C-alpha cells in the first residue's frame, strides 16, 4: 500500500483486532495498571520490527524457494503461544499479586515476534520499495502501534476497575491464557491445513 491513509487504516484495523499481544497488554493493564504497563510498549514495537524485518529480508526470500517455510513459521508461533498460555494458566495471577507479574517485557516481545499479524504487515500492508520509501511508513506504523497498545492497556485497566471483585488477577491470567490458547489453535490449524493442501 503506497497511500499513507490506506496504510494507516489497514494497520489500525489489524492492530485493533484482539490477538495474543493485545491480550497480554489488556491483562497487564488490568493487573499492573496503566503506568506500570507502559514499559511493555517498546517490547511490542521491537517485536514487530524484528519480525517484519526478518520476514521481509529472510523468510520472503526462503518462501519463494521453499513453500514449507511459512507453514513452519506458523507452527513455531503456535507452539510459543501454547507455552505462554500454559504458563499464564499455571501461574494464575500469583506473580501479579506479588507485583512482578507474569506479563513481562520478554513475554510481550516474544509473543509479538511470533504474532501472525506480522506476516500480514510484512507481506500485505507494507509497500514494496527501498529504505527511503519505507521510512515514512515505518514511522507511521510505530506511532499507530503505540497508540493502539495504550488503548488495550486502558481497556484492561477499565475492566478491572469497574468489575470490582469479579475480576481477580487469577481470573484475568486464566482468561488471557484461554485467549492465547485459542489463537494458538487457530494459527496451528491454519498451518496444518496449508500443509495438507
Amino acid at each position: 500500500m503506497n497511500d499513507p491513509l490506506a496504510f494507516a487504516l489497514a494497520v489500525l484495523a489489524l492492530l485493533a483486532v484482539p490477538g495474543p499481544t493485545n491480550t497480554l497488554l489488556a491483562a497487564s493493564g488490568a493487573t499492573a495498571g496503566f503506568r506500570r504497563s507502559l514499559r511493555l510498549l517498546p517490547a511490542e514495537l521491537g517485536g514487530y520490527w524484528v519480525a517484519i524485518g526478518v520476514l521481509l529480508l529472510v523468510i520472503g526470500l526462503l518462501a519463494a524457494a521453499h513453500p514449507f517455510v511459512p507453514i513452519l513459521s506458523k507452527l513455531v508461533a503456535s507452539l510459543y503461544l501454547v507455552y505462554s498460555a500454559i504458563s499464564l494458566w499455571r501461574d494464575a495471577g500469583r506473580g501479579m499479586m506479588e507485583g512482578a507479574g507474569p506479563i513481562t517485557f520478554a513475554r510481550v516481545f516474544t509473543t509479538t515476534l511470533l504474532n501472525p499479524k506480522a506476516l500480514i504487515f510484512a507481506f500485505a500492508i507494507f509497500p514494496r520499495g527501498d529504505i527511503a520509501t519505507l521510512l515514512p511508513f515505518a514511522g507511521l506504523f510505530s506511532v499507530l502501534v503505540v497508540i493502539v497498545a495504550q488503548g488495550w492497556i486502558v481497556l484492561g485497566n477499565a475492566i478491572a476497575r469497574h468489575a470490582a471483585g469479579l475480576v481477580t488477577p487469577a481470573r484475568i491470567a486464566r482468561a488471557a491464557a484461554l485467549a492465547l490458547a485459542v489463537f494458538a489453535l487457530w494459527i496451528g490449524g491454519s498451518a496444518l491445513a496449508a500443509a495438507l493442501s
Side-chain angles (χ1 to χ4, degrees):
M1 290 184 187
N2 291 317
D3 176 33
L5 180 58
F7 175 84
L9 292 174
V11 169
L12 280 173
L14 190 55
L15 287 174
V17 172
T21 302
N22 293 339
T23 300
L24 292 176
L25 292 173
S28 180
T31 56
F34 179 77
R35 271 194 275 183
R36 288 183 63 200
S37 298
L38 290 177
R39 64 186 169 75
L40 301 174
L41 297 181
E44 180 182 14
L45 200 53
Y48 271 132
W49 280 123
V50 171
I52 291 168
V54 168
L55 287 167
L56 288 174
L57 296 174
V58 178
I59 305 296
L61 296 172
L62 286 173
H66 306 286
F68 69 88
V69 170
I71 295 169
L72 186 60
S73 299
K74 284 184 180 181
L75 287 174
V76 169
S78 179
L79 289 173
Y80 176 76
L81 291 177
V82 167
Y83 163 77
S84 193
I86 290 169
S87 297
L88 273 173
W89 185 273
R90 187 189 62 233
D91 292 341
R94 282 191 302 272
M96 289 184 248
M97 288 181 277
E98 294 159 6
I103 300 169
T104 62
F105 187 96
R107 178 171 281 174
V108 171
F109 177 82
T110 308
T111 299
T112 305
L113 185 68
L114 299 173
N115 193 327
K117 289 180 184 180
L119 289 166
I120 300 168
F121 288 132
F123 298 131
I125 296 179
F126 267 88
R128 299 294 163 254
D130 59 13
I131 196 76
T133 304
L134 291 175
L135 275 178
F137 290 95
L140 180 56
F141 177 80
S142 298
V143 169
L144 295 173
V145 167
V146 169
I147 290 169
V148 174
Q150 288 179 30
W152 280 100
I153 292 168
V154 167
L155 178 65
N157 187 260
I159 290 169
R161 283 190 324 202
H162 297 309
L166 295 175
V167 179
T168 64
R171 288 181 181 152
I172 290 167
R174 288 197 168 142
L178 289 173
L180 290 177
V182 168
F183 292 121
L185 289 173
W186 176 71
I187 295 164
S190 71
L192 290 175
L196 297 174
S197 64

